[in-house]
Amino acid sequence: MSRVGVFVCHCGENIGRTVDCAKVAEAAGALPGVVHSVDYKYMCSDPGQNMVRAAIRDLKLDGVVVAACSPAMHEPTFRRATLGEGLNPFRCEMVNVREQCSWVHEDRPAATEKAVDLVRMMVEKVKRNEDLFPIKVPLTRRALVVGGGIAGIQAALDMANAGIPVVMVEKEPSIGGHMSQLSETFPTLDCSQCILTPRMVEVAQHPLITLHTFSEIEKVEGYIGNFRVTVRKKARSVDMAKCTGCGVCQQKCPQKKIPSEFDAGLGSRAAIYIPFPQAVPNKPVIDRERCTHFKTGKCGVCEKVCGPGAVDFEQQDEFVVENVGAAVLATGYQLYDIGDPGAGLRGYPEYGGGKIADVIDGLQFERLASASGPTGGEIRRPSDGKVPQTVVFLQCIGSRDRAKGIEYCSKICCMYTAKHALLYKHKVHEGKAVVFYMDVRAPGKGYDEFVRRAVEEDEVLYLRGKVSRLYEDDGRIVVSGVDTLAGMPVEIRADLVVLATAIRPQAGAARLAQKFGVGYDGHAFYSEAHPKLRPVESAAAGVMLAGVCQGPKDIPEAVAQASAAAAKVAVLFSRETLDREPVVARVNEAVCAGCFACQEVCPYGAVELNEVRDRQGRLLRRTARVNAGVCNGCGTCVATCPSKSLELAGYTDEQIFAQISALVP
């Protein structure tokens, strides 16, 4: 005879406001096999857990049902309490009466009745639960970092400095990300390159970091602790071992008018190029789409002038397999394009749609302001090279605009716009800087003071309002908008307009997330496992998140999150083996027909072929077998199996039927 205890949590008022918890506990107490039933304000608190432990100990319970919030939140908590009293933790089950009752119903009696039904079903399941034990799987103490921006660099260095070997994969020819393009950083106005480049060099020289640049993730197999990642190293057309980085090839290359990605299209580069002088690695790559040799078979100047003979036109993509135990995704961001944003978003034809040369975005202004930029740090117009006397900055371009398809705030635009206006005033003292804003969001340390400094000390004019139209007139740009505080239309003739365009995930972010099994939102920002309690972990076990791939954030936030992700990996690697949930599929090989329909539908590749042989080694038949270390317990194979040879531990047919029967009078 089972001895089940039922514990009903009020969750403060979260549950208690809508569900009559006392009535649920009273009804549960009358169920067959239930020997104890009680309700409490906060069952997850220390006194609440002590109530559970005392009941197990004193009443010799063999099953526990906790009616509370989501199992994703507190199931481990109650299972630890159960284990503490010597009861197998998988004899403890949670009923989610918060999300399934109190949060979705307004009618208190109906919500209470539903809660009683759910508890009754779970009691019947727990009565049939069996002891399950965690699955021990081996652990590869080696981590992968995808993305070589500041977040990826921080995570890689933190892990490597903790003694963890790291593999970093960066799709661009150099690490550094967008931070390497910045002039100064707010609110301290530190030189971005001075902060970043030593860290880039440290990554390249660290003995525990393997760096793959100009590379992408091709395939991901395996599971937490044992990932097998295939990396595609794209052909650079340059032998890295032979190249000395002298730069003669890019000096002699006749193709020198290709827009430079590093200078955001404001500068130019050669077809064979090093992205920027401080690039890591400081070796060139050939742009095959623009190289004359690859287009026509002629030229080949770079090959002729290369002393070490490093140019290799025949070089092919290389595939490298890396075995790692955990991964940190730090893939960064791209900026919204007002001309062609793609992804179903609307552009800004009213702002010229990207066709007005002197309407630029924030990254382009960074390159103008940078000493390593195309103008050597002088603020000059892209169209004619003149110093602009009036610069208008527009905030929230794309962001917070449902009509354009992006409803979220890009978070850092208020601060970098203030920085841009301040830098402009520092470089062009007699110039006029005007900022159009919706509201100023500056909640970080020293941020509000920084904005005030721009307004009060550098006399930047802030106008609250939106700009309806930008158009060219006599060599200048007419900014037509409304000052909503003064309640009057405004028209400014500007020499340069800088747009604070929305931050978006990198192109291909969704495809990468699918390879790792990571969730993402409608904009392809990666989803954390829990926004408050697990903000740097994804729902895919062993895959952490760092930086803007999760959502817009500034440099300090990205660095802090990267260090947190590195710490999570270090905690994971602190054990000899990993304990996995034993809720996995298992095959009854005696009745398995060997059709392998289960193998076709398994999303984790957990179903393997098993050969049954006699004592003489002769093959008798083939059956399916589940690799418990790979199985995630989704149950797809169980539902698919035509011979009903598969069963999910903890969710057997007997348990499911018992739950259904509990609902039928």
Side-chain angles (χ1 to χ4, degrees), residues 61-232:
L61 302 180
D62 59 10
V64 171
V65 173
V66 181
C69 56
S70 165
M73 177 83 82
H74 282 312
E75 191 172 68
T77 303
F78 291 110
R79 284 186 167 169
R80 276 196 300 272
T82 305
L83 181 62
E85 291 303 320
L87 184 64
N88 186 281
F90 294 93
R91 289 185 178 273
C92 171
E93 298 279 3
M94 285 192 72
V95 180
N96 187 352
V97 294
R98 188 180 69 176
E99 279 88 335
Q100 295 177 9
C101 295
S102 64
W103 280 7
V104 293
H105 296 293
E106 294 181 355
D107 187 290
R108 185 175 172 86
T112 302
E113 186 179 349
K114 183 178 179 182
V116 171
D117 286 343
L118 293 175
V119 169
R120 185 188 306 119
M121 293 171 67
M122 192 56 76
V123 167
E124 290 303 315
K125 179 177 185 293
V126 165
K127 286 159 68 174
R128 292 161 177 80
N129 275 15
E130 59 185 23
D131 288 354
L132 297 175
F133 300 95
I135 299 166
K136 303 283 185 184
V137 294
L139 175 65
T140 303
R141 285 192 176 78
R142 195 161 180 254
L144 172 75
V145 174
V146 184
I150 182 60
I153 288 173
Q154 183 69 33
L157 287 175
D158 282 348
M159 288 188 286
N161 289 335
I164 299 171
V166 176
V167 178
M168 175 179 278
V169 177
E170 166 59 46
K171 71 174 183 177
E172 300 295 336
S174 169
I175 60 172
H178 286 307
M179 188 174 170
S180 64
Q181 296 176 276
L182 305 184
S183 173
E184 279 92 15
T185 58
F186 61 78
T188 52
L189 294 184
D190 292 309
C191 168
S192 179
Q193 293 271 357
C194 300
I195 300 172
L196 181 64
T197 50
R199 311 226 79 191
M200 293 164 58
V201 174
E202 194 178 345
V203 167
Q205 296 180 348
H206 203 294
L208 291 181
I209 297 179
T210 302
L211 183 58
H212 296 307
T213 55
F214 208 46
S215 304
E216 295 186 6
I217 302 297
E218 186 73 12
K219 186 168 66 173
V220 180
E221 302 168 284
Y223 50 93
I224 180 172
N226 296 278
F227 290 108
R228 179 180 165 91
V229 181
T230 304
V231 179
R232 176 193 286 266

Side-chain angles (χ1 to χ4, degrees), residues 520-572:
Y520 52 90
D521 64 18
H523 298 282
F525 284 117
Y526 297 163
S527 302
E528 60 283 341
H530 190 282
K532 301 179 184 69
L533 301 181
R534 298 171 65 191
V536 302
E537 298 171 76
S538 74
V543 183
M544 317 301 169
L545 309 176
V548 187
C549 65
Q550 185 200 20
K553 51 181 64 75
D554 59 21
I555 293 172
E557 269 189 285
V559 169
Q561 192 185 24
S563 291
K568 283 289 182 184
V569 173
V571 170
L572 181 69

Side-chain angles (χ1 to χ4, degrees), residues 32 107 109 114 120 248 332 336 342 345 352 356 413 428 484 557 561:
D107 187 290
K114 183 178 179 182
R120 185 188 306 119
V248 173
Y336 171 89
L345 303 176
I356 303 176
C413 310
V428 185
T484 56
E557 269 189 285
Q561 192 185 24

